[in-house]
Amino acid sequence: TMAETENMHKPAPKKANDAERVQVLESLKVLDTAPEEIFDSITSSAASMLETPIALVSLVDGERQWFKSNVGLPGVTETHRDLAFCSHVVHNEHMLLVEDATSDERFKYSPLVTGAPSIRFYAGAPLTVANSSNQTHTLGSVCVIDSKPRKLTEIDKQLMSSMAFEVTKRLLEHKREERGDQSWHAVPYAPPPPDAETAEMLQKISEPCSKNKLAPPPTEREEVVVETEEERMKRMRVEEEAAQVSSLGKINRVDYYMFEEIRNSKGFDEGLKWLKSVMESRRGASRRSSVHSSRGGAAGSSGAHTPTARSVPVSRAQSTCSSQSIPTDTQADVSLLVPVEKRGLLYTDAAHSVLPHEA
C-alpha cells in the first residue's frame, strides 16, 4: 500500500558515474585490508574529542560500505550500501549532519535506527579526491555516531573536515609505490560559512597572536625589560614540560591535539598522563602487529579489530594564543610547547601550516 511505501527506508541514489567512482576506490587497493594504526588513531581521537561512542572510516563500493577503521562497533566490518548513512555523503559530496534520525524522513525507518545500533545522531565528512582535470569523487566518509540526538559546533565541523582530509591523504598514499599512481589528490572539505558571531570567534582562534611575534631589538632610548622571577619560573616550567613530552618520542598529530585539549582543560599532568597511556597503547598494538606479520598472519578484514574509544571529557571550546593550532606534519613537533618567541616559529594561514618566522 501507499502507507507501507511511505514507511520505508530511503537509500541514497547512485550517480550516473558511480561505476567510475568505485573504480577509483578499488584502484587504491585498500578495501578488505588489515587495520592500520594511522586510521585507528584518527577514529579513536574523533570519538574522544566529539564524545561519541562510535567513529568510523567508511568506504563505499558498489554494494556495501566497508570500515577501514572502526571504534564502537565490535565485530562489524561492513553493511549493505542501501543502509549506509555514508552513501548520502557519497552522493551529495558534502558533510552530512543528522541531529535526530527519528525525525529525518530519509532515515527514520532505517533498520540501523529502529534497531541496533539505534542511530540518532550522525555526522559524516566526505573523503573526496580530484584529478588534474578537476574531476572529483567522494569515496566514503569519516563519521561519528551516537544513540542520542545532539548537535555539532562549528569547531567540531572544522575538526571533522581536517580529519577527513588527513584520512583521504593517507588512503591515496596506501600502496602508492606498488600502484605507481599519482593522478589523484585529496580535496579538503570546507563546511558552509558559519554565522557572523561564530565566524568572528573562529577568526580569533585561527589568527596568530601578534604578541607572540618576535620583538625587534630595543633602541638606545628604550628600557631593556629584565625578566622577573615569576616570568623566569614560568619559562622554566614550560621548557620542563616540553622536555617531558619530548622524552616520549614521535607523537601522532591528532594525539598531540588531544593532549593540548586536556592540558588546557585539566592541566599538564593530566594531559601527559593521557598521552603516555595512548602512546604505550600504540606501541603495544604495533608490537602485536609486527609479531602477527612475522608469523605470516593474513592481511584480510575477517579479524575483528575495534580500538576502544577513550572517554575523555574535554572542553571542545576555543584554543587560546597559548594553545597552538594542529601542525600539518604527520608527527607533531613537541617544541610547540615552547612559546613562539623562544623557537622562532609563527603560525600562518587557515591550513595551520608552520613556517619559520621572518623578521
Side-chain angles (χ1 to χ4, degrees):
T1 65
M2 183 176 295
E4 291 174 337
T5 303
E6 291 177 353
N7 295 343
M8 292 177 61
H9 172 64
K10 298 176 175 59
K14 293 182 180 181
K15 288 188 172 182
N17 65 345
D18 190 68
E20 182 179 343
R21 183 195 66 83
V22 173
Q23 186 177 16
V24 173
L25 173 59
E26 291 176 343
S27 73
L28 301 182
K29 302 189 177 199
V30 69
L31 292 173
D32 299 311
T33 57
E36 295 180 51
E37 181 180 350
I38 182 59
F39 298 109
D40 292 344
S41 171
I42 292 173
T43 50
S44 293
S45 296
S48 294
M49 285 187 274
L50 299 176
E51 299 177 14
T52 60
I54 299 171
L56 307 165
V57 171
S58 172
L59 302 174
V60 178
D61 66 14
E63 300 299 329
R64 60 172 178 159
Q65 69 165 344
W66 175 78
F67 305 135
K68 176 59 179 173
S69 183
N70 175 348
V71 166
L73 290 177
V76 180
T77 59
E78 61 185 58
T79 71
H80 195 279
R81 175 172 175 164
D82 286 350
L83 299 180
F85 283 53
C86 181
S87 293
H88 292 264
V89 179
V90 168
H91 180 260
N92 296 314
E93 299 192 346
H94 291 294
M95 180 178 285
L96 173 64
L97 296 177
V98 181
E99 295 178 354
D100 185 353
T102 62
S103 302
D104 192 309
E105 292 298 327
R106 295 169 296 179
F107 306 111
K108 62 191 300 183
Y109 300 111
S110 167
L112 302 179
V113 175
T114 59
S118 302
I119 297 175
R120 295 298 178 268
F121 168 79
Y122 173 94
L127 307 175
T128 303
V129 298
N131 60 16
S132 57
S133 302
N134 291 324
Q135 180 184 16
T136 62
H137 291 298
T138 295
L139 309 180
S141 75
V142 171
C143 67
V144 290
I145 295 170
D146 203 339
S147 57
K148 298 178 294 186
R150 53 177 297 178
K151 299 178 182 291
L152 276 191
T153 67
E154 294 298 330
I155 295 175
D156 292 337
K157 295 175 188 177
Q158 295 285 350
L159 179 61
M160 287 201 67
S161 298
S162 297
M163 289 182 173
F165 184 49
E166 183 68 22
V167 166
T168 307
K169 289 191 295 182
R170 294 295 171 179
L171 289 172
L172 290 173
E173 290 173 7
H174 189 269
K175 296 185 178 180
R176 172 163 270 176
E177 292 183 3
E178 177 185 325
R179 293 185 287 110
D181 179 17
Q182 304 287 334
S183 58
W184 296 90
H185 62 271
V187 178
Y189 174 73
D195 58 73
E197 182 179 352
T198 305
E200 182 180 359
M201 179 188 67
L202 290 171
Q203 182 70 14
K204 290 179 180 178
I205 295 171
S206 60
E207 281 182 347
C209 300
S210 58
K211 65 180 181 180
N212 278 343
K213 294 182 179 180
L214 289 175
T219 64
E220 293 182 359
R221 295 184 179 182
E222 290 178 334
E223 179 181 356
V224 177
V225 179
V226 179
E227 186 179 47
T228 66
E229 180 64 17
E230 181 181 357
E231 291 171 338
R232 186 181 72 84
M233 294 297 292
K234 181 178 180 180
R235 173 177 56 79
M236 291 179 64
R237 185 177 69 252
V238 170
E239 291 174 352
E240 181 183 353
E241 290 177 357
Q244 290 185 59
V245 176
S246 295
S247 67
L248 300 179
K250 294 292 186 180
I251 303 171
N252 179 280
R253 75 181 216 156
V254 179
D255 289 343
Y256 184 81
Y257 181 88
M258 186 65 181
F259 157 73
E260 283 205 325
E261 288 283 302
I262 299 173
R263 182 187 66 175
N264 293 338
S265 61
K266 291 194 167 186
F268 174 79
D269 290 341
E270 285 296 316
L272 186 66
K273 179 180 177 181
W274 179 87
L275 189 57
K276 285 181 177 178
S277 173
V278 168
M279 292 190 69
E280 182 57 36
S281 175
R282 298 267 187 271
R283 293 189 185 103
S286 180
R287 286 193 295 268
R288 289 191 296 273
S289 177
S290 298
V291 171
H292 180 70
S293 298
S294 66
R295 293 176 179 174
S301 63
S302 57
H305 177 90
T306 53
T308 303
R310 295 180 178 273
S311 180
V312 183
V314 298
S315 169
R316 301 190 309 278
Q318 305 99 311
S319 302
T320 62
C321 294
S322 62
S323 175
Q324 307 299 337
S325 307
I326 311 174
T328 54
D329 296 336
T330 305
Q331 305 296 338
D333 178 3
V334 295
S335 67
L336 297 180
L337 283 169
V338 181
V340 172
E341 63 269 26
K342 300 295 182 184
R343 56 188 168 86
L345 294 176
L346 179 66
Y347 280 87
T348 54
D349 55 19
H352 306 301
S353 56
V354 182
L355 301 174
H357 175 78
E358 297 181 1

